[in-house]
Amino acid sequence: MSTSKNSPLRIVFMGTPDFAVQSLKKILEAGLNVVGVITAPDRPAGRGRKVQESAVKQFAVEQQIKVLQPTNLKDESFLEELKSLEANLQVVVAFRMLPKAVWQMPEYGTFNLHASLLPQYRGAAPINWAIINGETETGVTTFFIDEKIDTGSIILQKTEKISQDDTAGSLHDRLMTIGADLVVETCKQIEAGTVIRQKQDESTELKPAPKIHKDTCRINWEASMEDIYNHIRGLSPYPGAWTKLVNAEKEEPMKIFRTEMEEIEHDYGTGELFVEKKSMKVAVKNGYINLLELQLPGKRKMHINEVLNGLNLEKEAHLR
């Protein structure tokens, strides 16, 4: 691909959540020209169902950038309005799937930032699944969009270590920052005409990153201690791993956000709950999962010390 240095970029940015805001911010700080922003329509959210603007829209409005919020990306009036912006590059960060009429529109193409080292972890939840699967390394990738999801030619990649203590939240925040820098570097290479396209290598077994559903979030106490630990941190702080607390013939859902592993041999059944003065732990294969941060039904997220102060459990309480 070759672009001319005499053609400064006219960028349309597409994104919705906080993760995308950092990339848009860095693009502007780099002095690149953003002629428009495409984001999700305003939607009612929260208990009060108050109409909420996306994080990207809020930031774009502050920066006085033109914002479009199409409900249908194939709508002719939207396509005309998009065309009128005369963008020569489109940048996508945490947005939805684009129809061909949109991604093929600009002269220099449309590229996406994905929070994994493609081709691994294609899909909607790459950060969660990398931790759930116990990976020790992940990263970010910029690639040109084509007909299929997350399959286009790679432009740039940057790796990032995953620590034993990382949650989806802590990793999200780091990838958001390094991803924003990669977006800027990609834009500059496209403007300079120095981009080298690299086809994705699919010769190894691919690990998918499908959308997270409620059933995905349920904890399986029969799994290995390490798998349970990774499952919980891979879903923390959102959407949160959950289990059922069975106490005095009552069964209620409970979310767990932070734990630690205690490796020790025992003869207890998996899921048995042990509550002491300063701790609460669950028997699993080869040890215990110590609960450090959780959310009881109808309560806010609490540290275990707060939970123990007001908790009334029968001796036979367990999780399942």
Side-chain angles (χ1 to χ4, degrees):
M1 174 178 211
S2 175
T3 68
S4 170
K5 291 181 182 179
N6 297 323
S7 299
L9 295 182
R10 290 178 56 83
I11 298 168
V12 160
F13 183 89
M14 302 183 183
T16 296
D18 285 321
F19 188 88
V21 173
Q22 187 69 11
S23 291
L24 179 55
K25 186 169 181 278
K26 287 280 188 176
I27 287 171
L28 295 173
E29 286 174 357
L32 296 168
N33 182 24
V34 178
V35 296
V37 163
I38 317 298
T39 191
D42 301 344
R43 288 193 173 95
R47 288 186 178 178
R49 308 304 290 161
K50 187 179 176 184
V51 173
Q52 214 167 24
E53 298 175 339
S54 76
V56 164
K57 180 184 177 180
Q58 290 173 38
F59 179 75
V61 168
E62 285 171 15
Q63 303 301 313
Q64 299 182 313
I65 303 170
K66 182 180 178 66
V67 176
L68 302 180
Q69 296 177 274
T71 52
N72 180 2
L73 296 175
K74 294 180 180 178
D75 184 80
E76 283 300 326
S77 61
F78 163 68
L79 292 174
E80 284 303 314
E81 200 166 7
L82 182 61
K83 196 172 182 180
S84 72
L85 296 173
E86 298 181 337
N88 52 19
L89 176 68
Q90 290 173 159
V91 178
V92 181
V93 182
F95 197 53
R96 55 193 173 183
M97 190 175 176
L98 302 180
K100 190 172 183 179
V102 172
W103 60 257
Q104 71 172 4
M105 190 179 289
E107 181 185 355
Y108 304 147
T110 300
F111 79 82
N112 185 33
L113 171 70
H114 189 73
S116 81
L117 297 174
L118 289 173
Q120 295 297 349
Y121 294 104
R122 290 172 177 159
I127 297 173
N128 303 93
W129 284 106
I131 295 181
I132 289 170
N133 289 341
E135 301 288 359
T136 57
E137 185 180 80
T138 185
V140 285
T141 304
T142 53
F143 68 97
F144 285 111
I145 290 177
D146 63 11
E147 280 92 347
K148 295 178 184 174
I149 297 174
D150 301 336
T151 59
S153 299
I154 290 170
I155 308 167
L156 295 172
Q157 291 188 316
K158 187 168 176 61
T159 59
E160 176 69 9
K161 296 289 182 191
I162 303 175
S163 79
Q164 183 79 356
D165 299 324
D166 264 322
T167 63
S170 61
L171 184 58
H172 166 282
D173 291 350
R174 295 205 307 281
L175 294 182
M176 177 175 70
T177 301
I178 66 171
D181 291 335
L182 202 70
V183 164
V184 171
E185 178 59 29
T186 303
C187 288
K188 288 180 175 177
Q189 284 195 14
I190 289 171
E191 188 169 45
T194 57
V195 163
I196 298 171
R197 293 171 176 260
Q198 183 184 337
K199 191 177 178 185
Q200 292 192 32
D201 178 12
E202 298 188 16
S203 60
T204 55
E205 184 183 349
L206 299 183
K207 298 172 186 175
K211 191 174 179 180
I212 302 285
H213 296 285
K214 187 180 178 183
D215 287 347
T216 318
C217 298
R218 186 163 189 177
I219 300 164
N220 174 18
W221 296 108
E222 296 294 328
S224 72
M225 179 167 57
E226 195 163 283
D227 283 350
I228 294 167
Y229 175 76
N230 291 337
H231 184 255
I232 290 167
R233 68 193 183 103
L235 296 166
S236 177
Y238 182 83
W242 67 277
T243 186
K244 284 196 174 176
L245 171 61
V246 182
N247 178 38
E249 298 182 2
K250 203 164 67 170
E251 195 173 276
E252 295 182 296
M254 178 175 87
K255 283 191 173 185
I256 301 173
F257 299 96
R258 195 160 63 87
T259 64
E260 62 185 11
M261 294 181 284
E262 182 184 339
E263 197 170 334
I264 189 170
E265 290 300 320
H266 63 72
D267 296 322
Y268 297 110
T270 55
E272 281 196 53
L273 196 59
F274 298 90
V275 181
E276 295 163 3
K277 274 189 176 180
K278 293 185 178 180
S279 71
M280 186 174 178
K281 58 189 182 182
V282 190
V284 296
K285 292 172 185 172
N286 303 321
Y288 300 98
I289 293 285
N290 288 301
L291 308 184
L292 302 179
E293 194 173 33
L294 52 89
Q295 186 174 14
L296 295 166
K299 306 282 186 181
R300 60 179 174 81
K301 188 193 297 186
M302 292 185 282
H303 186 271
I304 192 62
N305 292 342
E306 296 178 272
V307 174
L308 292 172
N309 284 339
L311 194 62
N312 183 23
L313 286 180
E314 296 289 321
K315 284 189 177 178
E316 300 299 315
H318 64 276
L319 303 179
R320 71 174 188 83

